[in-house]
Amino acid sequence: MTKRVGIVGSGIMGSGIAEVAAKAGTEVVLRSRSQATADAMVAGLEKSLAKQVERGKLEDAERTAVLGRVTAVSDLDALADCDLVIESIVEDLATKKHLFTELDRVCADGAILATNTSTLPVVEMAMETGRPDRVCGVHFFNPAPLMPLVEVVRAITTSDETIAAAREFATACGKTVVDVKDQAGFVVNALLFPYLNNAVKLLDAGVASRDDIDAAMKGGCNFPMGPLELLDLVGLDTSLAILEALYTEFKDPNYAPAPVLRRMVSAERLGRKTGAGFYDYKR
Ligand SMILES: NC(=O)c1ccc[n+]([C@@H]2O[C@H](COP(=O)([O-])OP(=O)(O)OC[C@H]3O[C@@H](n4cnc5c(N)ncnc54)[C@H](O)[C@@H]3O)[C@@H](O)[C@H]2O)c1
């Protein structure tokens, strides 16, 4: 059973996974590259829990208990006694591979190392370590506290025991688990991203306005969000990286990123996280 989980990365997903794990009763060590961002993550968690108390969704005593389970650190060595470490840093294979080398060095031999990657090959991260049998994907969805699914990803090196432990952790977090194999996009993103990419291409071709594309898919398919709103939520840099990984794997033109997406990333219009994407957001 996972008693202590390390989360590496203080972005949208790292913060959400930390909240989910702490609420499930697990000790959480949050690691960011600077102590200031690690502390900011805890401040964000405090805010999120306070809102839940206000709305009557969480007892005040539970809020205190959840916060008591979370430690924010900048030193990777602080992950030494975690049973499970989930990395949720930038979607870039070289960066993730380097992190896995470091995690293998600092974490206990029996610890499981997991990635929250959306599309990248888990086996390549596993092979950076001396424990490729104890590496898997644990793929949460955005926002992690609300979305019910986790894809547990089996690389060709992953052992049955590792998959069982990852499934047990995700289930303890209250999530529905699906088993997927280590292929770009797994299930959800392999199906979702051609749709999102084609929405950008429709917008660029002037087939409909931004608002009408989103309204069409909400009204016509009963989706809770339109595709352009969803891209802003995911982050356009992460979306571009996901499409690039899918295209690299399959060479399917549906996965070739819409050129305007790349231009928006260059212009740092990354969506909600930078205050502007397809929509503008107050910061
Ligand atoms: N955004 C989503 O909807 C979503 C959903 C599921 C999974 N994911 C995956 O989660 C991971 C993180 O995505 P996110 O949306 O939280 O991104 P984000 O941009 O919000 O956060 C990325 C984090 O990585 C850190 N980082 C950047 N470069 C780094 C480096 N060289 N070394 C260490 N840390 C570094 C940043 O400081 C930041 O804290 C990615 O693998 C992504 O594919 C994202």
Side-chain angles (χ1 to χ4, degrees):
M1 195 187 144
T2 302
K3 292 198 175 130
R4 196 169 167 86
V5 65
I7 312 281
V8 185
S10 54
I12 309 170
M13 292 305 294
S15 317
I17 298 168
E19 176 173 335
V20 170
K23 280 176 108 176
T26 316
E27 297 289 324
V28 175
V29 185
L30 272 179
R31 191 270 179 175
S32 187
R33 283 174 297 174
S34 81
Q35 190 62 42
T37 47
D39 292 341
M41 263 173 104
V42 175
L45 176 61
E46 274 170 6
K47 213 166 143 189
S48 163
L49 296 175
K51 259 193 212 155
Q52 293 167 41
V53 172
E54 252 172 52
R55 292 187 192 138
K57 291 190 172 163
L58 188 75
E59 296 290 324
D60 197 41
E62 182 56 8
R63 180 186 70 91
T64 312
V66 171
L67 285 172
R69 287 194 278 272
V70 178
T71 316
V73 300
S74 59
D75 185 1
L76 210 61
D77 290 338
L79 302 172
D81 55 357
C82 290
D83 316 299
L84 167 68
V85 175
I86 304 176
E87 74 74 22
S88 193
I89 66 166
V90 64
E91 187 76 343
D92 175 74
L93 187 56
T95 310
K96 286 190 190 286
K97 281 168 78 167
H98 177 70
L99 176 63
F100 269 82
T101 314
E102 294 288 290
L103 289 175
D104 191 43
R105 183 178 55 77
V106 302
C107 294
D109 285 348
I112 292 175
L113 308 181
T115 172
N116 183 43
T117 182
S118 301
T119 36
L120 296 170
V122 178
V123 69
E124 293 205 27
M125 296 171 229
M127 293 307 286
E128 292 298 310
T129 74
R131 63 183 92 191
D133 56 320
R134 286 195 299 287
V135 176
C136 66
V138 176
H139 183 213
F140 284 83
F141 290 80
N142 184 11
L146 298 182
M147 297 298 278
L149 186 70
V150 167
E151 290 177 322
V152 169
V153 187
R154 180 192 286 267
I156 55 175
T157 51
T158 311
S159 70
D160 290 346
E161 292 74 18
T162 298
I163 295 295
R167 288 185 62 92
E168 190 186 56
F169 169 73
T171 306
C173 289
K175 302 300 183 189
T176 303
V177 178
V178 294
D179 295 309
V180 295
K181 106 180 167 178
D182 181 21
Q183 174 176 294
F186 316 126
V187 171
V188 174
N189 287 335
L191 294 174
L192 177 64
F193 269 83
Y195 154 68
L196 296 179
N197 197 31
N198 280 312
V200 180
K201 290 179 185 171
L202 283 183
L203 177 69
D204 204 31
V207 172
S209 68
R210 171 197 75 181
D211 290 357
D212 282 354
I213 290 172
D214 279 346
M217 294 313 292
K218 286 191 273 192
C221 292
N222 213 14
F223 288 174
M225 296 178 85
L228 303 170
E229 288 173 299
L230 182 53
L231 281 161
D232 274 359
L233 176 74
V234 171
L236 302 196
D237 53 342
T238 303
S239 298
L240 178 62
I242 290 171
L243 283 162
E244 280 173 338
L246 284 163
Y247 187 71
T248 301
E249 184 113 311
F250 300 110
K251 302 289 184 289
D252 176 337
N254 266 316
Y255 293 130
V260 70
L261 192 59
R262 197 181 300 282
R263 300 296 180 280
M264 290 176 74
V265 172
S266 300
E268 294 177 6
R269 292 180 64 95
L270 305 184
R272 289 192 191 191
K273 63 184 164 188
T274 55
F278 291 104
Y279 292 81
D280 286 319
Y281 303 87
K282 274 196 192 145
R283 302 208 72 189

